Amino acid sequence: MLRVLGFFLLFVGLSLQQKDPVKDFCRRFGHQTAVIDRKLYIDGGFVDWNPISQNRNNYTNTWLVFQDLDSSPPSIEVPQLYANLSKNASIPSVSGGILWQDDVNKRFYLYGGDYSNISPNTPNLISYDALHDEWNSLGPPNKPIQSVSYGGGVAISELGQGYVLGGWLSNNSVPGWSGGPLATNSLIKYDMNINEWTNNTGPADSIPRAEGVMVYVPASDDGLLVYFGGVTAPFNNDTTLPAPMSLIHLYDIRSSKWYTQTAVGDVPLSRRKFCAGVVWAPDQSSYNIYLYGGMGFGANATGFDDVYILSMPSFKWIRWWESSDGGKPHHSLSCNVVGGGQMLIIGGTFPLTDDCDSPVTWGTHNLDLGKRSGKMWNDYSLNITSYVVPPEVISVVGGSSLGGATATAPSAGFDNGDLGVYFAQKASVAVRSPTRAIPNPTSAPPNTGSPKLSTGAIVGIAIGGALILIALLLAGCCFVRQHRKKNSQPPTAEVAYNPAPTYSQTQFTTHTPQTPYSDHRQHTQTHHYQLSANEPPAELSGNNYQLHQVDPKANMIQQVHHTPHYPPSPHHISPSLSPHPSFIAGTDSIGTNSHTLYGSQVSPTPTYSSLGRGTRKPVPANQTYYSP
């Protein structure tokens, strides 16, 4: 009987070891993000737990969490993180996917991504309803479109459209895929207004590509898509090449035409799995894309810890910040422009260190894009609500903090005259009307006060409570038996068991980012593509425009060793006719007007907590685990 009691108590102890995505955070990477109203949603990817010395594996992040952009607690100075949203086991948790946000209808769509340890689902577009905290299935695509991972993706709420260029098809993203990964050259478009899919051709060079970044700028009639960076796979084999950062691809949405433009200036070294966000001067005389970090090639393979700005239409690169002490290069992170004047950089995996990524801020770092605070890296501020052009950009393109750029074309001219016409225009898009009833924003305050328990948590508490009750009953029975037999035999020894381990609350350092930028030579050698230490689940599609709420399922948690099971081999292929995956980083944008002031140009570098350093067991590529 006492052995049974010991088993139950041990089981209860183990049930208490569930990790908390807020309190036990160490790192996150490979995730996807979206901003709706004043919430920044973070989904999927991988997490490392704190202390990292006791949690040496990468775990699939099965939570949907969000940061409240209307908060910046004094002891944290970044938006507060909450993990009280619904997401059960029927919702895929993928890495390298895309969240297309629809700010008009208050929902986002999950497209693409890699599944980890399990076979990919049949393509099926999943949507999260931010108003009702529920997930819906829109069914498979109405076109023969397959799921890609680590493509360059962007959503345009003003138009109700989501795009992704390139990406990888593989057995981690496409059901039934055989062979190695293949890169694509297609531009996939999803129309949120009518649930319609389109598979368009990519840039005129027809070269498959992946792991770059794409942003939207409101120039031309309906706007332009701007893509750069990542890798190309031109040989239909396992060889990939770094895409030169001087080669900028542009897509005019109204005419459906592709263009290229050569950028000059402080051109950054080639990189992939970086992130970027775009803002523009109040008068739209310059559009400025801020790039951070990423993974490099050759001698720079460990990556970068730097910030560059691509200013358009002058198409000049500006080196804005780089770590002076080598920094901490990282990649597979996200960038989100919020309020027009700040960019939140979240997460990333660090090839050179086991340090946790500022656990007190959950790996969140903030760039003051216009240096209103006088610094580049600064605490997140609720008072910065618009963008002004920083001095470093003004010195290159002219004008003032409010615009008036005098460099309105590349110094050597546009590679195609159409681009000059497009950049002389400002996008004029009709205001979208929601396709469902949207409550007045003042009618109900956001629910961030008392965290709501997920279905899995409720089930866990119920089971734990039942087990504790059973344990107490058994203990009572044992006590009665012992009392009756106390004169005939010695008392039974007390059952010993190990309580759930406690996790150290080490002093955390303040936040700020870094990265080595040691070798400044541009490497043009070929690079063989290898999937990095991560992978997970994906989604895509659309058929009838009917939303079906996803049936909740019991949240089964498992820890599984996963070994790599495919070699690289990119080919030119369309995601509408084939399968294969890898990596990219996200973007977001917002612009506006405003006033200004600059202070000292001295900026602190982001710092990272050092927990459990040194003895972490290296994780083989693609070896991941589901969170316990």
Side-chain angles (χ1 to χ4, degrees):
M1 182 67 71
L2 291 177
R3 296 174 67 181
V4 174
L5 173 60
F7 171 80
F8 276 113
L9 292 174
L10 178 61
F11 190 92
V12 171
L14 291 174
S15 71
L16 297 176
Q17 296 180 27
Q18 298 293 314
K19 297 296 188 290
D20 185 312
V22 178
K23 296 178 181 178
D24 298 321
F25 175 85
C26 178
R27 297 184 187 177
R28 79 168 74 251
F29 58 98
H31 53 282
Q32 39 274 336
T33 58
V35 174
I36 297 177
D37 289 337
R38 298 291 294 165
K39 291 182 180 180
L40 194 167
Y41 295 89
I42 308 170
D43 179 62
F46 296 90
V47 291
D48 293 325
W49 298 119
N50 192 355
I52 204 167
S53 60
Q54 298 178 25
N55 299 278
R56 299 175 182 172
N57 301 314
N58 300 321
Y59 293 87
T60 298
N61 172 40
T62 57
W63 288 270
L64 172 65
V65 299
F66 75 93
Q67 289 183 274
D68 178 10
L69 299 178
D70 285 326
S71 69
S72 183
S75 60
I76 300 173
E77 308 297 352
V78 300
Q80 177 66 47
L81 181 72
Y82 293 91
N84 59 353
L85 300 178
S86 67
K87 185 179 181 183
N88 59 49
S90 66
I91 309 301
S93 293
V94 303
S95 63
I98 298 162
L99 298 185
W100 286 322
Q101 77 275 2
D102 180 355
D103 202 39
V104 173
N105 285 296
K106 313 304 179 190
R107 64 170 64 248
F108 62 72
Y109 302 85
L110 171 61
Y111 167 77
D114 286 344
Y115 286 76
S116 178
N117 307 313
I118 58 175
S119 298
N121 289 348
T122 300
N124 178 42
L125 187 67
I126 298 292
S127 174
Y128 175 75
D129 183 339
L131 292 179
H132 302 103
D133 185 25
E134 64 183 23
W135 293 82
N136 305 110
S137 171
L138 280 73
N142 54 6
K143 301 285 175 61
I145 292 175
Q146 293 174 313
S147 178
V148 301
S149 64
Y150 296 100
V154 65
I156 311 164
S157 283
E158 297 88 340
L159 297 173
Q161 297 172 0
Y163 291 89
V164 59
L165 174 63
W168 296 99
L169 299 159
S170 76
N171 59 354
N172 283 341
S173 61
V174 180
W177 179 265
S178 60
L182 299 180
T184 79
N185 184 45
S186 293
L187 178 69
I188 294 174
K189 172 186 174 183
Y190 176 65
D191 191 324
M192 307 171 192
N193 301 295
I194 57 176
N195 193 34
E196 178 74 17
W197 294 84
T198 308
N199 191 8
N200 301 309
T201 57
D205 60 13
S206 298
I207 295 176
R209 49 184 37 90
E211 304 177 19
V213 157
M214 187 160 66
V215 300
Y216 168 80
V217 298
S220 188
D221 296 310
D222 291 336
L224 298 170
L225 302 182
V226 182
Y227 178 95
F228 56 87
V231 299
T232 61
F235 304 123
N236 294 332
N237 57 25
D238 62 357
T239 301
T240 61
L241 299 176
M245 299 293 282
S246 58
L247 179 61
I248 313 300
H249 297 277
L250 300 104
Y251 178 77
D252 179 59
I253 294 175
R254 174 72 65 87
S255 66
S256 301
K257 290 183 179 180
W258 280 101
Y259 300 88
T260 60
Q261 178 62 46
T262 302
V264 298
D266 299 324
V267 180
L269 294 179
S270 294
R271 62 193 66 202
R272 57 185 186 170
K273 304 176 192 173
F274 58 98
C275 68
V278 63
V279 285
W280 41 89
D283 64 354
Q284 293 181 233
S285 59
S286 68
Y287 301 90
N288 300 313
I289 302 174
Y290 289 71
L291 166 162
Y292 177 73
M295 185 177 185
F297 301 88
N300 299 301
T302 54
F304 308 99
D305 188 12
D306 53 14
V307 179
Y308 280 80
I309 301 171
L310 174 62
S311 188
M312 303 178 296
S314 63
F315 285 89
K316 290 184 179 178
W317 279 107
I318 301 163
R319 183 187 295 117
W320 204 43
W321 176 87
E322 62 181 345
S323 174
S324 59
D325 59 356
K328 297 194 176 180
H330 50 298
H331 60 82
S332 305
L333 30 66
S334 62
C335 292
N336 293 89
V337 174
V338 294
Q342 300 174 96
M343 186 165 76
L344 295 174
I345 299 170
I346 300 174
T349 185
F350 297 73
L352 299 180
T353 179
D354 277 338
D355 291 356
C356 283
D357 182 6
S358 185
V360 73
T361 68
W362 312 287
T364 303
H365 308 276
N366 184 56
L367 270 180
D368 181 349
L369 302 177
K371 292 178 66 175
R372 285 183 178 272
S373 63
K375 299 178 291 186
M376 299 172 184
W377 298 104
N378 193 47
D379 294 337
Y380 174 73
S381 172
L382 300 180
N383 297 322
I384 298 178
T385 59
S386 59
Y387 176 68
V388 293
V389 184
E392 296 84 355
V393 175
I394 295 172
S395 67
V396 172
V397 305
S400 71
S401 61
L402 299 180
T406 55
T408 56
S411 54
F414 288 105
D415 292 355
N416 186 300
D418 290 354
L419 294 175
V421 176
Y422 295 150
F423 276 102
Q425 300 172 329
K426 298 178 183 178
S428 178
V429 179
V431 177
R432 283 179 68 210
S433 297
T435 56
R436 63 173 183 158
I438 304 296
N440 188 313
T442 60
S443 61
N447 176 22
T448 58
S450 53
K452 181 177 69 176
L453 292 174
S454 65
T455 303
I458 294 173
V459 172
I461 291 172
I463 293 174
L467 291 174
I468 291 172
L469 178 60
I470 292 171
L472 291 174
L473 290 174
L474 289 171
C477 292
C478 292
F479 177 80
V480 172
R481 285 187 65 185
Q482 291 177 35
H483 180 71
R484 290 175 177 176
K485 298 180 180 181
K486 65 180 180 179
N487 295 322
S488 60
Q489 64 183 54
T492 306
E494 182 181 356
V495 175
Y497 66 95
N498 294 322
T502 57
Y503 298 97
S504 61
Q505 296 297 322
T506 310
Q507 293 291 344
F508 300 123
T509 57
T510 53
H511 42 292
T512 15
Q514 305 173 5
T515 297
Y517 202 80
S518 54
D519 189 346
H520 289 264
R521 294 172 297 166
Q522 181 71 42
H523 292 270
T524 56
Q525 65 199 71
T526 61
H527 177 79
H528 290 270
Y529 173 78
Q530 293 183 348
L531 291 178
S532 176
N534 25 345
E535 8 169 346
E539 286 311 70
L540 112 108
S541 355
N543 193 330
N544 345 348
Y545 199 30
Q546 293 180 334
L547 296 178
H548 306 286
Q549 187 169 350
V550 176
D551 294 331
K553 297 179 181 177
N555 197 3
M556 299 178 62
I557 300 171
Q558 35 181 310
Q559 186 175 26
V560 188
H561 286 269
H562 183 67
T563 53
H565 53 283
Y566 54 77
S569 123
H571 303 282
H572 174 205
I573 189 164
S574 162
S576 63
L577 300 172
S578 332
H580 204 90
S582 183
F583 279 82
I584 112 138
T587 64
D588 197 274
S589 64
I590 298 181
T592 352
N593 27 12
S594 252
H595 322 311
T596 136
L597 280 184
Y598 306 110
S600 161
Q601 296 185 18
V602 177
S603 299
T605 58
T607 59
Y608 302 90
S609 280
S610 195
L611 296 180
R613 186 197 276 274
T615 57
R616 188 182 184 206
K617 181 175 65 178
V619 181
N622 300 321
Q623 181 173 322
T624 57
Y625 304 84
Y626 272 84
S627 301

